[in-house]
Amino acid sequence: MLNRKGPLLSRREALLAAASGLATAAQAETTNMELIGQPCLARNMHTGCLVQDKGRDYFVLTNTNEITNAELIFIDIEAGTGEVYRAPTGAGAWALQKLPSNQLGVGTYYNGMFLIFDIPSRKWVKTIKFPGEDYLWSFAIGSDDRLYTGTYPGAKLGALDVKTGEVEVLGAPGKPNLYLRNVSTLPDGRIYCYFGTEKPISFVFDPKTKQFSPTPEALHTVTTGVAWNGYFVSGQKAYRMPDLAEVSPLPFPTPTGTAVWQVLPLLSDARNLVVHQGSSVYRFRTGDSTLTRIAAVPTTGISMFAVNEAGNVFGTRGQDYFIAQEDPKKLRLEAVPGPASPREVFFLTTDDQNRLWGGPPFGQTLFYKDLATGQVTNTRGVSNRGGEVYDVEVVDGVAYGVSYVGGEIIRYDPSQPWNHIGGVNPRVIGKAGPEFIRPAAGITRGGDGKLYSGWWAKYGTYGGAVAVTDPQSGATELIVNPLGVQAIQGLAVVGNQVMIGTTLAGNGLPSQPNASAKFGIYDLAERKAVFTHEIPGASSVSRVIYDTQTNRTACIVQRTRSSLWIFDNTLGQFRKPTGVVEKLQPGYLTNAGPGRVAFSEDKTLRLLNLATGAVTTVGDAPEKIHCIAFAPDGCLYVACGAAVYRTAPLPRPRRSPLA
């Protein structure tokens, strides 16, 4: 593979750096960069609801945009048109709540804000910070009429008085968990709180006493539910008030047959219980004797958000929205209307057909740009799971992507007809999940023709794996914890050996204490690590790039500051530093042709000669660089937010004697 992107967490941090084995001065030859567009036009809808305004019905969705802020998309159900309202702040929103004041409560992530949107005036009227928190996950209205939410990373419960704008932080009894992701209203107005993911547990908060109380142990893994007809209902169970003891038999009828069914809390309310089984959606109203089938829905890749009085079910599938009725032939599956704003570019790579590939953070989509014609294609969804594609390797024109959160290896042939619903193109050919879910080390092709990808373990678990996938059969082998119980953050394949960098991070977990990240070499023939080097004080070793000309490997080591390290594969050791570039901030690293790598230093793009350690400056971008790709045309392509820039072709590298 020509290029591999870095993890989202790394490029969101403020990086300091020192270079190991590099020259002490950088040549200041600056080359202008050409803007070639904002190619990523993808949506990522987290949640939705139905509202009425001026006699019309609207399906409202929250949409992610890291560049222009989160959006509310109002879809006129009858006309099929869309209105887009950009939020004053926040990248996206998982939390959405209809308020009695004919307003919408919106909770953002990355900056942890309560936003209030007035429906009649179509205006954002309040912006209120939750102190010290980055994510607001979900909403519930308590008996005191306040808007309750849970947070990350503090796993705190808080309440907003919508009228006054006052926020009260109520505590975090679920420590050491980092997440209070789900809050639900109980029939008596108390708040059910589910904490995860290190040690899942639940508590109930009483707005009257402002005290938390424990729940029965059986509820410690119940994430969310709905207050229906005096019961708290979740999954396939119902719990009575006030002690939350399980009720048997159930106070409602259940679907027939052996297929799994479950209650849908987001679509249910105090009077209506909505149940999903296979492709069927049922509704049971208080006073009814039987379930009523109200809709037939797609069976894969869907999110259901609302149901109206007529029984129509509203939801999304990738970039599309749907309206489902009882008759499956009347299903409306259409592109979400309204203008799409450019999204941040999460990764970049190129192929041998003169195309530039990438994708957004959040939203299972890809884009590719024909560098000769300038034509850009944005795909619909490529996965039925939430999350995003982390990286792509293109082989003979076919793209192989690795995706969080399902741990999927996905095959997409842009020359063939699109048939994702049928599972034909794109399609999942292999999986590292459910045990390994975040492909932070990306994907690359080995000399044996197989695909190699590096993964973090699932939420609540430390460790990682290298996945080896046959692109023809999809057969995937997992090499679990090749350097010990640490997640995989970087990898490169050389013959029968895989060079690996690890991280102390974990999904939903704090960094591993009293440990250091490692660089190592795993031998595929011997099925064991033949070299392991623990780097004292390092939290991660990422962006592992091997160069055949020099037989050296570059990587980024994160300690108190980030450093470029060079491993000499001939000697089997890291080069001792010969100098330091004092202000180096390498947030991204990629190969740039034989004998050299390119890296970013804030807005500046530089080249490192792996033989001599000399650093030269390529040019400066208008904003901070967070992705780099090297193309066969000899140009470097960099992403700054939503914008992609191209350098002039780099001079051909000269062979230099090894220093």
Side-chain angles (χ1 to χ4, degrees):
M1 181 177 190
L2 290 173
N3 322 281
R4 208 172 307 126
K5 66 157 197 47
L8 179 64
L9 292 178
S10 292
R11 57 185 171 83
R12 289 197 182 279
E13 297 170 349
L15 300 178
L16 298 174
S20 298
L22 306 184
T24 57
Q27 181 180 341
E29 294 180 357
T30 300
T31 305
N32 291 331
M33 296 187 189
E34 174 194 4
L35 174 66
I36 64 168
Q38 296 177 315
C40 187
L41 296 172
R43 286 191 165 108
N44 181 53
M45 287 79 67
H46 285 312
T47 189
C49 67
L50 291 173
V51 302
Q52 289 186 327
D53 184 48
K54 299 180 179 65
R56 301 191 72 85
D57 295 326
Y58 293 89
F59 179 32
V60 181
L61 295 167
T62 65
N63 182 47
T64 303
N65 196 293
E66 310 81 3
I67 305 300
T68 57
N69 295 337
E71 299 173 342
L72 286 180
I73 303 174
F74 276 63
I75 302 174
D76 187 313
I77 295 170
E78 183 177 346
T81 56
E83 307 165 10
V84 178
Y85 300 95
R86 293 177 179 172
T89 187
W94 287 101
L96 178 67
Q97 178 70 48
K98 287 190 291 185
L99 302 173
S101 54
N102 203 18
Q103 295 176 321
L104 293 170
V106 178
T108 70
Y109 53 78
Y110 297 159
N111 63 349
M113 307 291 286
F114 290 97
L115 306 180
I116 305 299
F117 183 84
D118 185 70
I119 296 172
S121 67
R122 298 292 202 274
K123 291 182 179 179
W124 300 93
V125 294
K126 289 183 181 179
T127 302
I128 305 157
K129 172 64 179 171
F130 191 117
E133 294 299 294
D134 298 336
Y135 284 64
L136 305 188
W137 284 115
S138 60
F139 284 150
I141 296 179
S143 58
D144 56 358
D145 295 327
R146 292 194 297 176
L147 187 62
Y148 286 79
T149 191
T151 72
Y152 167 88
K156 298 173 183 174
L157 180 69
L160 169 70
D161 186 314
V162 176
K163 293 181 180 179
T164 66
E166 181 182 355
V167 177
E168 183 178 8
V169 180
L170 299 163
K175 293 295 185 181
N177 295 295
L178 303 178
Y179 293 80
L180 173 49
R181 186 154 191 167
N182 297 100
V183 292
S184 307
T185 304
L186 295 176
D188 56 10
R190 293 179 296 164
I191 304 299
Y192 180 85
C193 306
Y194 170 76
F195 296 84
T197 57
E198 188 170 352
K199 294 182 179 180
I201 192 170
S202 60
F203 288 88
V204 169
F205 178 81
D206 190 337
K208 296 178 181 178
T209 64
K210 294 190 177 182
Q211 297 294 317
F212 289 92
S213 60
T215 63
E217 188 174 351
L219 272 79
H220 286 183
T221 57
V222 172
T223 59
T224 187
V226 62
W228 171 80
N229 196 29
Y231 298 96
F232 182 58
V233 182
S234 177
Q236 298 182 346
K237 296 182 179 181
Y239 305 89
R240 71 188 185 195
M241 293 295 105
D243 60 355
L244 290 173
E246 185 177 343
V247 176
S248 182
L250 289 171
F252 55 87
T254 60
T256 59
T258 59
V260 176
W261 61 270
Q262 63 175 344
V263 170
L264 299 176
L266 194 59
L267 278 66
S268 303
D269 57 32
R271 180 170 173 258
N272 300 280
L273 198 66
V274 179
V275 178
H276 181 214
Q277 183 187 48
S279 62
S280 296
V281 177
Y282 302 89
R283 180 164 61 188
F284 181 72
R285 286 175 163 168
T286 304
D288 289 350
S289 58
T290 60
L291 290 172
T292 300
R293 186 175 183 272
I294 58 173
V297 298
T299 55
T300 58
I302 65 165
S303 296
M304 291 180 281
F305 296 134
V307 59
N308 65 7
E309 188 68 19
N312 299 328
V313 173
F314 296 77
T316 59
R317 188 185 191 279
Q319 302 292 290
D320 304 320
Y321 79 99
F322 67 82
I323 303 175
Q325 304 178 44
E326 185 178 5
D327 184 352
K329 295 180 181 179
K330 295 183 179 180
L331 175 73
R332 283 174 55 187
L333 182 63
E334 301 177 9
V336 172
S341 302
R343 292 282 307 281
E344 179 180 322
V345 177
F346 187 47
F347 75 92
L348 282 178
T349 191
T350 60
D351 64 18
D352 59 3
Q353 298 189 20
N354 203 28
R355 293 179 300 196
L356 181 71
W357 291 77
F362 289 128
Q364 295 283 14
T365 63
L366 297 170
F367 71 82
Y368 54 94
K369 180 182 180 71
D370 187 311
L371 295 173
T373 67
Q375 181 179 355
V376 177
T377 300
N378 278 267
T379 73
R380 297 162 82 176
V382 297
S383 170
N384 289 327
R385 301 293 302 272
E388 63 267 294
V389 176
Y390 260 62
D391 197 10
V392 162
E393 170 83 308
V394 184
V395 181
D396 298 327
V398 177
Y400 296 89
V402 282
S403 174
Y404 165 86
V405 61
E408 298 167 327
I409 299 98
I410 298 167
R411 182 186 190 275
Y412 169 53
D413 186 345
S415 70
Q416 297 300 311
W418 184 273
N419 188 0
H420 187 223
I421 293 179
V424 177
N425 185 47
R427 62 186 174 91
V428 176
I429 63 168
K431 282 190 174 184
E435 294 301 313
F436 302 93
I437 64 170
R438 190 184 296 272
I443 183 170
T444 188
R445 187 189 189 195
D448 56 4
K450 293 183 178 180
L451 302 167
Y452 292 78
S453 50
W455 301 81
W456 292 16
K458 63 185 179 182
Y459 276 87
T461 304
Y462 291 112
V466 173
V468 186
T469 303
D470 186 315
Q472 301 304 317
S473 67
T476 298
E477 174 195 0
L478 293 178
I479 303 171
V480 178
N481 294 326
L483 301 185
V485 185
Q486 291 183 0
I488 310 301
Q489 191 72 9
L491 63 79
V493 182
V494 185
N496 286 326
Q497 294 184 330
V498 184
M499 282 171 289
I500 298 168
T502 70
T503 177
L504 304 181
N507 282 306
L509 297 170
S511 293
Q512 290 174 287
N514 305 316
S516 295
K518 302 172 184 177
F519 174 88
I521 300 175
Y522 184 89
D523 192 287
L524 295 166
E526 297 185 26
R527 295 291 167 180
K528 66 177 184 180
V530 294
F531 175 84
T532 302
H533 179 70
E534 184 178 274
I535 301 175
S539 59
S540 74
V541 179
S542 63
R543 309 296 310 152
V544 177
I545 307 292
Y546 173 76
D547 175 61
T548 56
Q549 179 172 291
T550 60
N551 197 27
R552 287 176 173 172
T553 302
C555 60
I556 294 178
V557 175
Q558 175 71 48
R559 293 198 281 191
T560 54
R561 53 186 181 177
S562 286
S563 303
L564 280 170
W565 286 48
I566 302 174
F567 181 77
D568 190 317
N569 291 68
T570 302
L571 300 177
Q573 62 186 30
F574 283 99
R575 290 183 62 197
K576 293 182 179 179
T578 58
V580 175
V581 180
E582 293 293 345
K583 296 182 180 180
L584 196 64
Q585 296 181 348
Y588 194 89
L589 179 71
T590 191
N591 74 317
R596 61 191 182 189
V597 293
F599 61 91
S600 61
E601 180 186 346
D602 194 44
K603 298 179 181 181
T604 303
L605 184 61
R606 303 193 194 278
L607 289 177
L608 164 67
N609 185 310
L610 289 168
T612 66
V615 175
T616 58
T617 298
V618 177
D620 291 305
E623 302 175 71
K624 183 177 180 180
I625 297 168
H626 61 254
C627 296
I628 314 171
F630 180 67
D633 61 11
C635 299
L636 286 166
Y637 293 80
V638 301
C640 306
V644 176
Y645 297 86
R646 173 171 54 199
T647 71
L650 300 178
R652 289 184 174 273
R654 297 178 180 178
R655 278 190 169 271
S656 304
L658 295 180

